[in-house]
Amino acid sequence: MVRNRLWSSAIALILAFCLAGISQAASIQQEIAGSSTLETIKKRGVLKVGMDIFQPWAMKDKNGQLIGFEIDVAKRLAQDMGVEVEFVPTAWSGIIPALMTGKFDVIIGGMGITAKRALQVNFTQPYEFSGMSIVAHKKLAAGFDSLEDFNSPDVEIAVKLGTTAAAAAKKFIPKAKLRMFDSEPQAYQELRNGKVHAVVGSAPRPAYEAVDYSDSLFLPFQGTFTKEPIGFALRKGDPDTLAYFNSWITVVQLEGWLDARHAYWFGTKDWIDQIQ
């Protein structure tokens, strides 16, 4: 009888511990869900999106309104969440610190997924792929027809500060002198003014520049020399929001909506009359 009572007590104690553990786990799960960015967005009724100006990812039209591939993506995401969208234009060099300090909920801005960035933020699965290409000045880069032609200390390359374009230039043409600019328009203006040999940037912008300024610019070779996955970036420690964004990307990819918007913004220039 004593042994039976001891077993009963032991079983009761184990069950109590198990129930306490389950209760604690449920409490932790509720706390995580309640503090997630997803819940904050739903309560606020506004999705705050960090972005910067990259053609044709995000641009201002003639009325000062934002348009572009990323703008369409963010608007559709907010619509599907049942909230409004607020864009927070941010200098690219400081966009990850701004995310981490809570200036906005997510970066949707053509951000390439890299190992270095993934140490600071969580990325969704890729919703797009991009690559770097190069556009050059006809006089300064006359006769250049390969990336190696630019790999010289005498060559100056303009890139946007803090971008994967800068990283790609450092990796593939390490001997060239890099000129860093806060914005893409500044870099391309420097090229058009004949102050640098070339600009390295995300496709298709370099090709657009070569067409629009064909009297002074050209493409040394066709296509891109890198391929990089593009994802949303969000703060770490937020599994619910990450899971929702990944699910949303899967849905709109399977719908064909992402491909259709990409074809419009990257495959045509039907939108060119809208911008300044």
Side-chain angles (χ1 to χ4, degrees):
M1 293 295 291
V2 172
R3 180 177 296 178
N4 288 340
R5 284 198 298 270
L6 288 174
W7 273 111
S8 297
S9 298
I11 291 171
L13 188 60
I14 291 169
L15 286 173
F17 276 119
C18 288
L19 290 173
I22 293 171
S23 177
Q24 184 179 10
S27 176
I28 292 171
Q29 185 175 3
Q30 288 175 356
E31 183 179 345
I32 291 172
S35 63
S36 74
T37 300
L38 188 64
E39 291 303 313
T40 299
I41 294 166
K42 288 161 61 178
K43 291 175 183 176
R44 186 200 301 138
V46 177
L47 170 67
K48 294 185 178 182
V49 176
M51 41 69 66
D52 196 7
I53 301 298
F54 288 91
Q55 190 183 107
W57 305 86
M59 308 162 283
K60 285 188 177 181
D61 67 14
K62 294 176 181 178
N63 298 315
Q65 299 300 308
L66 288 166
I67 62 170
F69 177 67
E70 300 289 12
I71 305 305
D72 284 357
V73 169
K75 285 182 175 178
R76 169 68 192 270
L77 174 61
Q79 177 184 324
D80 290 347
M81 293 179 71
V83 298
E84 299 296 319
V85 63
E86 177 185 331
F87 293 103
V88 185
T90 306
W92 196 252
S93 58
I95 201 165
I96 287 180
L99 170 70
M100 295 171 70
T101 55
K103 296 293 178 62
F104 37 79
D105 305 312
V106 61
I107 298 171
I108 304 178
M111 178 167 278
I113 300 171
T114 69
K116 183 177 180 180
R117 287 173 176 166
L119 291 172
Q120 303 175 73
V121 300
N122 277 343
F123 282 105
T124 62
Q125 67 188 52
Y127 65 100
E128 187 49 62
F129 291 86
S130 184
M132 295 300 140
S133 59
I134 188 167
V135 56
H137 194 275
K138 282 186 173 180
K139 289 183 179 179
L140 295 180
F144 288 22
D145 60 10
S146 71
L147 206 58
E148 187 57 34
D149 289 330
F150 294 90
N151 193 29
S152 166
D154 298 326
V155 172
E156 294 191 17
I157 305 292
V159 292
K160 184 174 180 178
L161 182 66
T163 62
T164 48
K170 289 178 182 178
K171 179 178 180 180
F172 290 96
I173 42 178
K175 295 179 182 178
K177 179 181 178 180
L178 295 190
R179 299 271 307 281
M180 303 287 188
F181 293 87
D182 288 330
S183 71
E184 273 198 324
Q186 289 176 324
Y188 286 107
Q189 187 61 54
E190 195 77 349
L191 177 63
R192 292 194 290 270
N193 290 341
K195 302 296 185 181
V196 293
H197 290 73
V199 169
V200 171
S202 296
R205 180 70 185 270
Y208 291 165
E209 292 288 321
V211 171
D212 293 342
Y213 301 93
S214 58
D215 57 330
S216 60
L217 307 183
F218 76 107
L219 292 178
F221 53 87
Q222 296 295 319
T224 61
F225 62 91
T226 68
K227 183 177 182 181
E228 60 187 70
I230 306 298
F232 299 175
L234 61 156
R235 290 180 289 276
K236 287 185 173 294
D238 194 351
D240 284 354
T241 307
L242 181 62
Y244 177 80
F245 286 162
N246 279 332
S247 297
W248 183 86
I249 289 168
T250 298
V251 169
V252 293
Q253 280 178 333
L254 293 176
E255 277 183 10
W257 182 85
L258 274 177
D259 286 343
R261 299 320 298 156
H262 185 273
Y264 174 76
W265 290 107
F266 290 87
T268 78
K269 291 195 76 175
D270 295 344
W271 45 266
I272 198 67
D273 289 340
Q274 300 179 54
I275 65 174
Q276 295 174 333

